C-alpha cells in the first residue's frame, strides 16, 4: 500500500503515517490502532512486517560519541554495554566525528526513534549557535552526559576531575626537574579542554613557575594536532624539556613527532591511557581515568530513570583520575 492509500483508509495525514513508519511511534494510540487495522487487513506482507517491527516493545538507548576510533570511547561503550545488556536494552551508537553540524543532524534524526534514553558526549558546550540543550530536551527522554558538559544545563552526567588529573601530571614533570613545560591543550570549547589547561596552570603556579602563554598550544584532540603542535612548540621554544598532552590521541602524535626529531630527549606525560603507549620501552606516565566505570555509571543512571515513577533528582558524578607510571617504575 502507498502512503496515500493508507491516509485515505485511516483518515491520518500522510506526514503522520510517514513518521510512524520511520520509527516515531509516540503518536496517539487511536491513530496507531487505526493504522494497524488497515495494514493487517491488507495483503502487503512487507508493510505488515515493517509495522510490527516498529511498534513492538523495544528498549532502545542511543549513545552518541565524538570519535568512535578513540580507545577512551571504546572503553566507555564497554561499560555501557556491560550494564544495559543485562536488561535487554538495544544500543544505537552514533559518531558525531567532533563536528557540531553532524551532532545537530544526529540529534534531529533521533527524534524519529522511540527511545528510552540518550547517553552522549557532546562536541561543544561553548558555541552560542549550538542549541544542544534545546535539541536534547526536545527528545523528551532521559539524557546522561559523559565526560563533556552542556553549559548551563541540568542534565545528568558522569565526568572526570580534569583539573586534578592535569595538575597531578604536570606536578610529576616538575618533580622530575622540569620547569619549561609545554602544553598540548584541548579545545576551549569543551569542558575537558578548559579544565585540563587550568590544571596545567594551577600546577605551575603552585610550584612558583611563571606561566608562559607561548608554551600553550591549543589542539583538537586528534593525533594530527598533537604531531603538528609538538613540532611547532619545539621549533619555536628549544628550551622546553617536557610536554604535557591533554588526551591520548594527541599524545600519540607528540611521540611520533619526537621520534622524527634529532636532539635532546623530551619527557612526555599524557592524559588518558592507551595500551600501545604503556607498552613502549621505557614507556611513559599517563593520567589514567576509570573509563569503563564512567560508562557503567552512565548506564546505571539511565536505568534508574527508566525505573523512576516519581520525582527525579539529577545525578552529576565526578570520578577521580590517577597517575599510571611505566611498569619499570612501580
Amino acid at each position: 500500500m502507498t502512503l496515500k492509500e493508507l491516509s485515505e483508509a485511516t483518515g491520518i495525514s500522510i506526514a503522520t503515517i510517514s513518521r510512524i513508519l520511520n520509527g516515531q511511534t509516540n503518536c496517539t494510540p487511536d491513530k496507531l490502532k487505526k493504522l494497524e487495522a488497515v495494514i493487517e487487513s491488507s495483503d502487503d506482507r512487507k508493510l505488515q512486517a515493517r509495522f510490527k517491527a516498529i511498534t513492538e516493545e523495544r528498549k532502545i538507548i542511543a549513545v552518541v560519541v565524538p570519535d568512535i576510533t578513540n580507545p577512551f570511547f571504546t572503553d566507555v561503550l564497554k561499560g555501557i554495554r556491560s550494564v544495559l545488556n543485562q536488561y535487554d536494552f538495544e544500543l544505537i551508537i552514533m559518531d558525531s566525528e567532533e563536528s557540531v553540524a553532524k551532532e545537530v543532524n544526529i540529534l534531529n534524526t533521533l527524534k524519529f526513534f522511540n527511545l528510552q534514553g540518550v547517553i552522549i558526549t557532546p562536541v561543544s558546550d561553548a558555541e552560542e549557535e549550538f542549541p544542544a540543550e534545546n535539541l536534547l530536551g526536545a527528545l523528551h527522554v532521559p539524557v546522561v552526559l559523559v565526560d563533556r558538559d552542556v553549559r548551563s544545563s541540568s542534565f545528568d552526567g558522569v565526568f572526570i576531575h580534569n583539573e586534578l588529573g592535569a595538575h597531578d601530571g604536570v606536578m610529576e614533570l616538575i618533580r622530575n626537574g622540569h620547569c619549561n613545560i609545554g602544553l598540548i591543550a584541548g579545545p576551549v570549547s569543551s569542558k575537558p579542554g578548559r579544565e585540563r589547561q587550568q590544571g596545567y596552570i594551577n600546577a605551575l603556579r603552585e610550584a612558583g613557575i611563571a606561566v608562559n602563554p607561548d608554551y600553550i598550544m591549543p589542539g583538537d584532540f586528534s593525533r594530527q594536532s598533537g604531531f603538528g603542535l609538538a613540532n611547532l612548540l619545539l621549533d619555536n621554544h628549544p628550551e622546553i624539556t617536557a610536554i604535557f598532552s591533554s588526551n591520548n590521541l594527541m599524545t600519540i602524535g607528540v611521540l611520533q613527532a619526537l621520534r622524527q626529531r634529532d636532539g635532546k630527549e623530551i619527557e612526555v606525560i599524557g592524559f588518558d591511557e592507551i595500551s600501545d603507549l604503556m607498552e613502549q620501552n621505557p614507556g611513559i606516565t599517563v593520567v589514567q581515568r576509570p573509563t569503563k566505570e564512567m560508562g557503567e555509571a552512565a548506564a546505571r543512571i539511565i536505568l534508574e530513570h527508566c525505573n523512576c515513577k516519581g520525582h527525579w533528582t539529577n545525578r552529576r558524578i565526578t570520578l577521580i583520575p590517577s597517575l599510571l607510571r611505566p611498569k619499570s617504575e612501580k
Side-chain angles (χ1 to χ4, degrees):
M1 295 184 72
T2 65
L3 292 178
K4 183 179 179 182
E5 290 170 336
L6 287 171
S7 179
E8 291 173 349
T10 60
I12 304 171
S13 71
I14 291 176
T16 298
I17 294 173
S18 177
R19 286 196 297 272
I20 292 171
L21 294 179
N22 281 288
Q24 188 178 2
T25 58
N26 55 338
C27 63
T28 58
D30 62 312
K31 289 183 179 180
L32 279 177
K33 287 180 179 179
K34 284 183 182 179
L35 190 58
E36 181 180 15
V38 171
I39 290 174
E40 286 301 314
S41 64
S42 75
D43 295 325
D44 194 331
R45 303 303 179 201
K46 288 185 178 180
L47 182 60
Q48 290 169 359
R50 181 179 178 184
F51 184 81
K52 182 179 179 181
I54 290 169
T55 56
E56 279 181 337
E57 183 65 29
R58 299 172 67 191
K59 299 189 294 184
I60 302 174
I61 301 293
V63 181
V64 185
V65 298
D67 185 355
I68 197 66
T69 66
N70 188 326
F72 167 76
F73 295 111
T74 302
D75 287 343
V76 169
L77 285 170
K78 288 178 182 177
I80 293 171
R81 283 196 179 102
S82 70
V83 173
L84 295 183
N85 284 352
Q86 301 175 53
Y87 299 91
D88 299 322
F89 277 87
E90 299 178 53
L91 295 184
I92 299 174
I93 300 170
M94 309 183 85
D95 186 352
S96 61
E97 300 179 13
E98 295 285 4
S99 165
V100 171
K102 287 185 178 180
E103 184 163 289
V104 169
N105 287 337
I106 286 172
L107 295 180
N108 282 325
T109 299
L110 289 179
K111 294 177 184 177
F112 298 98
F113 289 84
N114 189 19
L115 300 174
Q116 271 63 57
V118 175
I119 299 173
I120 181 172
T121 299
V123 172
S124 172
D125 64 1
E127 297 186 28
E128 293 181 0
E129 299 83 6
F130 178 42
E133 185 172 9
N134 293 337
L135 288 172
L136 287 167
L139 297 176
H140 302 295
V141 296
V143 173
V144 180
L145 309 174
V146 175
D147 188 47
R148 306 182 192 178
D149 208 349
V150 173
R151 194 176 295 187
S152 301
S153 80
S154 58
F155 295 122
D156 298 282
V158 180
F159 308 105
I160 201 74
H161 202 314
N162 290 295
E163 282 190 31
L164 178 63
H167 168 274
D168 290 351
V170 175
M171 287 302 297
E172 179 85 348
L173 292 172
I174 294 170
R175 284 192 294 269
N176 292 343
H178 301 284
C179 58
N180 295 324
I181 302 169
L183 172 68
I184 307 299
V188 294
S189 61
S190 73
K191 176 184 175 77
R194 293 191 301 273
E195 293 182 347
R196 292 171 198 174
Q197 180 170 318
Q198 189 59 50
Y200 163 88
I201 292 171
N202 292 346
L204 294 180
R205 288 175 175 168
E206 184 178 317
I209 299 173
V211 177
N212 186 340
D214 294 337
Y215 288 0
I216 300 174
M217 309 296 288
D220 62 6
F221 288 146
S222 72
R223 182 186 309 214
Q224 293 79 6
S225 71
F227 177 83
L229 293 174
N231 280 318
L232 182 63
L233 183 65
L234 296 173
D235 285 344
N236 292 332
H237 301 283
E239 71 277 11
I240 284 178
T241 60
I243 292 175
F244 182 80
S245 171
S246 292
N247 93 321
N248 48 15
L249 297 183
M250 293 196 300
T251 303
I252 292 176
V254 170
L255 295 175
Q256 182 184 358
L258 295 179
R259 283 194 296 269
Q260 295 181 9
R261 298 177 69 93
D262 296 325
K264 63 183 180 181
E265 291 188 1
I266 303 294
E267 184 173 0
V268 176
I269 290 181
F271 206 109
D272 279 341
E273 177 186 3
I274 291 185
S275 57
D276 291 346
L277 296 180
M278 305 310 294
E279 290 170 2
Q280 293 183 38
N281 187 14
I284 68 167
T285 297
V286 296
V287 178
Q288 181 186 43
R289 45 182 174 166
T291 51
K292 187 169 181 285
E293 290 85 345
M294 293 178 75
E296 291 171 345
R300 284 194 293 268
I301 293 174
I302 284 286
L303 282 176
E304 291 171 13
H305 260 296
C306 292
N307 295 327
C308 180
K309 304 301 181 183
H311 178 72
W312 176 261
T313 302
N314 285 92
R315 301 276 302 281
R316 294 177 74 85
I317 300 169
T318 301
L319 302 179
I320 304 298
S322 59
L323 287 181
L324 179 63
R325 297 178 176 85
K327 293 180 181 178
S328 59
E329 296 183 13
K330 292 182 179 179

